[in-house]
Amino acid sequence: MSEHILEVRHLSKFFGKNEVLKDIDFNVSQGDVTSIIGASGSGKSTLLRCINLLETPSSGEILFHGKDVTGGGISQSAYRAKVGMVFQSFNLFNNMSVLDNCIIGQQRVLKIPKEEAKETALYFLGKVGMTPYINALPRQISGGQKQRVAIARALSMKPEILLFDEPTSALDPEMVGEVLAVMKTLAEEGMTMLVVTHEMGFARDVSSHVVYMADGVIAEEGDPKEIMVDPKNPRTREFLSRFL
Amino acid sequence: MFSQLIADVVTLWGKYGKIYLNGIKNTLILAITATAIGCLIGFICGILQTIPVSKTDNIFKRLFLGLVRVIIRVYVEVFRGTPMILQAVFIYYGVPYFFGHVFKSIWAVSLIVVSINTGAYMAESVRGGILSIDPGQTEGAKAIGMNHFQTMLYVILPQALRNIMPQIGNNYIINVKDTSVMFIIGFSDFFSIHKMVSGAIYKYFPSALIEMIGYLTLTLVASFLLRWVEKKLAGSDSYELAAGDQLVMAAGTYNSPAKGSPFDEQSKEFGKELYKGVDEGKEDGANE
Ligand SMILES: Nc1ncnc2c1ncn2[C@@H]1O[C@H](COP(=O)(O)OP(=O)(O)OP(=O)(O)O)[C@@H](O)[C@H]1O
Ligand SMILES: [Mg+2]
């Protein structure tokens, strides 16, 4: 049962009368790289936001190591610190340097001493190739660089699972590669990742599992090779054909 | 004529300079302290008003926050909607009816009235300042596990403060001038010295001239300091490029890429294998 890091059970979400997620069920195990694909408005972002409790699910359960996190049994802060999130729009703290962006959470949420937090931050900034820019403010670096810092910020919290919501959609085409390269490295190193993406190449080649969402339900899921090459569901086929 | 004016001003200053200066001192102390306390009140109100409430919160929290919002609303409307001079009279002469002789001190009453007024204006400014910050900043903070208080303290308020700074300055300048209404309860600010001195020796214009110059000096210095603080808060528009693993060279200060600068050379030296993207504003030559 608790071989899964994360279990989503009968999750549904209403915005007013609009049911955006309908009875979603799926699991994430250690080391899984799951790509969530689907048309705009199908509920992919809402699903991720429910998972890290930025949205409150209307019903259903989200189990983290077997414990439900929606009921308030576990502290929201502690849970969020273990579930990293990388946003489409980066959301770096504009009032802090690149380095401080990666230190503040460790220092204030995890209560790690500043020096140690700095070392960790420098390690992960190095990993995403941002060491030369640690003193820059977010507005002084490019989009691709911002997203790499955002990834380093999330990694600095040493999360057990990392959520990405279309991390490359706001980037100019020439910067997409640098971010995908970082994500690929993480995947190869065994980081557990849940990635909402329109990058079909990434879904096919890097992820270990693909989930196709349509109108708030999981229409099809499974091995990327099978789903992306020979989808069973006609809707999946139609969706994928648009990317050819 | 003109020399007569100068002579009068000089005599007046020679005779009453110390008293004028004392008035300036009182005005300054009252304005600065009241602005500071007012800002504190404003920040507290602004933060309390922007605590998010969702339907899933328990009834007690929702009721409490609802009540807090109503109280702040009433406070803001009452103090913005009545003249400060009247509030001073109201409190100075009114409170003893309810509490005995608590407010004997003119200083205390003046400070309270001006602070509470500033607070009423600042509450709105702070609320607006907080709401003007991109919600993505809050989400970023929440996503790494910060609670509401930490998010406010480390992420939102430092950014909001930059937007609010001009309002703080405005309030301070208004306070420097408007503390003069406290003469009504006998506070001896800078302007009250004018009434006292000119009433005694009938040199209205020379004294008014001293007052004009005095007030302008106070407000101009404040404006100047404010600009300086605003600039500081905006942060520098350049940053030091840190060396890679080894200390390649002592890094100088390089302008941000957006400005098109010596930055390119640096990224060639130690950014190459780490960095494959393109900076906006980079010269074309760098993107072989
Ligand atoms: N805060 C909200 N209030 C009301 N409706 C919302 C809210 N957020 C999302 N929705 C609705 O929920 C549906 C799913 O939105 P969501 O953002 O999850 O889609 P998505 O699959 O991420 O789309 P995209 O690929 O465009 O990002 C949409 O119809 C959207 O209008
Ligand atoms: Mg989305």
Side-chain angles (χ1 to χ4, degrees):
Chain A
M1 174 174 174
S2 44
E3 72 207 73
H4 299 304
I5 296 187
L6 195 73
E7 294 165 72
V8 176
R9 297 236 179 112
H10 303 298
L11 180 73
S12 67
K13 173 68 184 173
F14 285 85
F15 285 116
K17 287 211 169 76
N18 183 13
E19 189 172 17
V20 174
L21 295 178
K22 299 163 191 160
D23 201 24
I24 301 277
D25 267 291
F26 79 101
N27 300 323
V28 177
S29 303
Q30 175 77 41
D32 277 0
V33 177
T34 308
S35 288
I36 303 175
I37 58 173
S40 183
S42 56
K44 307 178 299 292
S45 298
T46 308
L47 176 58
L48 277 202
R49 294 168 58 81
C50 280
I51 288 177
N52 82 345
L53 303 179
L54 282 177
E55 299 286 356
T56 316
S58 304
S59 66
E61 290 179 324
I62 295 167
L63 306 182
F64 185 66
H65 290 296
K67 286 204 192 78
D68 188 18
V69 295
T70 54
I74 160 173
S75 130
Q76 266 194 16
S77 277
Y79 167 66
R80 284 206 186 109
K82 288 182 184 163
V83 179
M85 175 103 172
V86 175
F87 300 86
Q88 181 176 346
S89 51
F90 327 121
N91 294 350
L92 291 180
F93 305 135
N94 294 327
N95 56 321
M96 291 175 209
S97 70
V98 162
L99 181 61
D100 287 338
N101 261 277
C102 299
I103 290 178
I104 188 87
Q106 298 184 66
Q107 203 187 349
R108 303 300 172 185
V109 178
L110 303 178
K111 313 285 182 205
I112 291 172
K114 177 120 195 219
E115 275 311 303
E116 194 185 328
K118 186 176 170 187
E119 253 173 58
T120 308
L122 284 172
Y123 172 77
F124 287 111
L125 282 167
K127 217 170 153 58
V128 300
M130 286 301 291
T131 308
Y133 305 93
I134 54 172
N135 298 320
L137 289 169
R139 64 179 145 88
Q140 295 165 331
I141 57 180
S142 73
Q145 293 175 324
K146 279 184 205 166
Q147 197 57 297
R148 286 185 284 149
V149 173
I151 293 173
R153 176 176 72 179
L155 288 172
S156 296
M157 301 295 288
K158 309 235 174 95
E160 291 184 39
I161 174 169
L162 209 47
L163 315 177
F164 292 81
D165 190 4
E166 300 193 29
T168 57
S169 295
L171 299 178
D172 290 341
E174 64 264 43
M175 296 177 194
V176 170
E178 66 189 67
V179 172
L180 288 180
V182 168
M183 290 169 64
K184 185 158 182 257
T185 313
L186 290 179
E188 284 163 1
E189 288 175 359
M191 184 77 213
T192 310
M193 293 158 58
L194 199 52
V195 186
V196 171
T197 186
H198 288 298
E199 294 290 333
M200 293 306 143
F202 180 89
R204 189 186 55 227
D205 302 333
V206 182
S207 53
S208 59
H209 196 78
V210 169
V211 170
Y212 169 67
M213 283 186 71
D215 294 331
V217 298
I218 295 180
E220 191 166 3
E221 65 173 312
D223 185 79
K225 303 284 177 305
E226 276 168 31
I227 293 202
M228 317 256 333
V229 178
D230 183 23
K232 305 278 176 294
N233 191 322
R235 296 189 68 175
T236 320
R237 196 170 309 146
E238 207 244 298
F239 173 76
L240 286 171
S241 70
R242 277 183 259 155
F243 288 89
L244 293 177
Chain B
M1 303 269 96
F2 195 65
S3 58
Q4 179 61 46
L5 176 60
I6 292 178
D8 280 349
V9 168
V10 169
T11 331
L12 212 53
W13 187 258
K15 219 167 164 186
Y16 297 105
K18 268 213 179 112
I19 300 181
Y20 278 113
L21 281 176
N22 195 51
I24 288 183
K25 192 187 84 189
N26 286 346
T27 291
L28 256 185
I29 293 175
L30 182 58
I32 291 175
T33 327
T35 309
I37 298 175
C39 284
L40 196 69
I41 296 174
F43 269 93
I44 293 169
C45 291
I47 292 168
L48 284 174
Q49 276 179 297
T50 48
I51 292 176
V53 253
S54 75
K55 282 192 200 131
T56 51
D57 285 325
N58 68 46
I59 184 84
F60 179 74
K61 183 179 169 191
R62 280 159 64 192
L63 273 180
F64 176 74
L65 287 177
L67 189 68
V68 165
R69 277 174 205 204
V70 170
I71 292 172
I72 293 174
R73 216 38 281 147
V74 170
Y75 157 58
V76 169
E77 294 303 338
V78 166
F79 281 88
R80 280 199 319 193
T82 53
M84 191 159 79
I85 191 168
L86 188 58
Q87 293 162 18
V89 173
F90 201 75
I91 293 181
Y92 189 65
Y93 296 106
V95 166
Y97 279 98
F98 300 93
F99 300 101
H101 294 285
V102 200
F103 280 145
K104 270 244 162 119
S105 161
I106 290 169
W107 261 102
V109 177
S110 304
L111 196 59
I112 288 168
V113 171
V114 183
S115 299
I116 286 183
N117 256 276
T118 312
Y121 284 97
M122 284 306 297
E124 289 299 282
S125 305
V126 173
R127 195 173 72 95
I130 290 173
L131 293 180
S132 74
I133 303 300
D134 169 21
Q137 296 286 305
T138 307
E139 300 210 328
K142 284 204 176 139
I144 57 172
M146 284 196 200
N147 58 33
H148 180 72
F149 178 74
Q150 290 169 327
T151 305
M152 276 290 157
L153 188 63
Y154 302 119
V155 179
I156 306 300
L157 287 180
Q159 296 181 51
L161 186 64
R162 204 187 305 159
N163 300 346
I164 298 166
M165 221 42 220
Q167 315 279 8
I168 295 180
N170 262 342
N171 272 301
Y172 170 72
I173 286 174
I174 288 172
N175 282 346
V176 166
K177 298 183 298 179
D178 283 6
T179 44
S180 56
V181 305
M182 289 302 150
F183 81 87
I184 197 84
I185 55 170
F187 185 80
S188 55
D189 78 309
F190 188 33
F191 183 66
S192 73
I193 308 297
H194 166 72
K195 281 191 297 265
M196 191 184 92
V197 170
S198 57
I201 61 169
Y202 305 107
K203 297 276 188 211
Y204 291 104
F205 187 70
S207 174
L209 189 61
I210 290 177
E211 293 276 325
M212 280 294 218
I213 294 169
Y215 273 115
L216 259 181
T217 310
L218 290 183
T219 53
L220 284 179
V221 168
S223 294
F224 177 80
L225 283 177
L226 214 79
R227 285 281 142 71
W228 182 77
V229 172
E230 271 175 46
K231 252 198 166 151
K232 280 260 145 176
L233 281 178
S236 88
D237 46 5
S238 64
Y239 58 92
E240 302 229 330
L241 208 53
D245 289 344
Q246 304 97 1
L247 282 171
V248 182
M249 57 187 289
T253 305
Y254 298 99
N255 285 330
S256 60
K259 285 199 161 172
S261 58
F263 178 82
D264 296 339
E265 287 171 46
Q266 292 302 313
S267 57
K268 258 184 198 150
E269 263 166 44
F270 34 68
K272 209 61 198 227
E273 68 285 351
L274 302 171
Y275 173 71
K276 292 250 163 66
V278 182
D279 281 306
E280 61 253 52
K282 241 182 179 181
E283 287 103 335
D284 286 334
N287 318 328
E288 336 82 74

